[in-house]
Amino acid sequence: MQGDAACDNEHLPCLRSRTCEVQDMQYDEIRPLIADATARLNRAVETLDDPHHTASLLPGWSQAHVLAHLARNADGMRNLFLAARSGRFVGMYASAELREADIMTGATRPAELLALDVGVAAERLAIDLDAMPEQAW
């Protein structure tokens, strides 16, 4: 992250301050924050009534698109952790086109499957996070 640029998003004031707080923390300090954020996300997902027909704050995206994006982003982060562990290049996504297609396809899934996808993707990411050797950070 470049200086205060990571903290300069007027649309995300609580994320802005949280980003500034965590950027210099060690993983064992960050892990409880990740677990808490994941639990809050999973609770929020459970409360969504109709994610397919409810707009998100992102232009052109429903809540279903955001959920599909979150799940695929977790998978992408796992690819980056694989790269860090192996020392070999692994892209976050195979391509921008495949990322887009995965989100668009995922957004059409029934709400129950979207919620399951987000939860399972988060669990897999947590497992990979916990398995990261300290030197890979």
Side-chain angles (χ1 to χ4, degrees):
M1 293 184 200
Q2 297 179 339
D4 291 335
C7 304
D8 194 24
N9 187 330
E10 65 188 59
H11 302 295
L12 303 170
C14 76
L15 179 59
R16 178 178 61 225
S17 63
R18 183 62 61 100
T19 300
C20 294
E21 292 171 14
V22 301
Q23 62 188 1
D24 294 321
M25 295 172 76
Q26 297 299 312
Y27 176 67
D28 60 343
E29 299 171 297
I30 295 172
R31 183 65 177 101
L33 299 175
I34 295 170
D36 179 59
T38 301
R40 284 185 284 122
L41 171 63
N42 288 330
R43 285 192 304 271
V45 169
E46 291 173 6
T47 68
L48 299 178
D49 290 328
D50 187 8
H52 298 91
H53 298 101
T54 305
S56 73
L57 296 177
L58 298 171
W61 274 24
S62 67
Q63 290 175 347
H65 289 94
V66 174
L67 295 176
H69 166 68
L70 289 171
R72 298 298 65 79
N73 184 261
D75 292 344
M77 292 299 298
R78 292 181 67 214
N79 288 337
L80 296 181
F81 293 135
L82 175 61
R85 283 193 315 271
S86 69
R88 297 171 57 190
F89 175 79
V90 179
M92 188 169 185
Y93 303 104
S95 70
E97 295 81 13
L98 184 56
R99 174 191 171 273
E100 178 77 13
D102 284 346
I103 292 169
M104 294 303 142
T105 301
T108 66
R109 292 183 177 144
E112 298 80 19
L113 290 181
L114 278 167
L116 180 62
D117 191 21
V118 169
V120 170
E123 287 177 25
R124 291 188 308 242
L125 178 59
I127 291 167
D128 277 357
L129 283 167
D130 290 341
M132 284 288 289
E134 189 173 326
Q135 68 271 17
W137 284 103

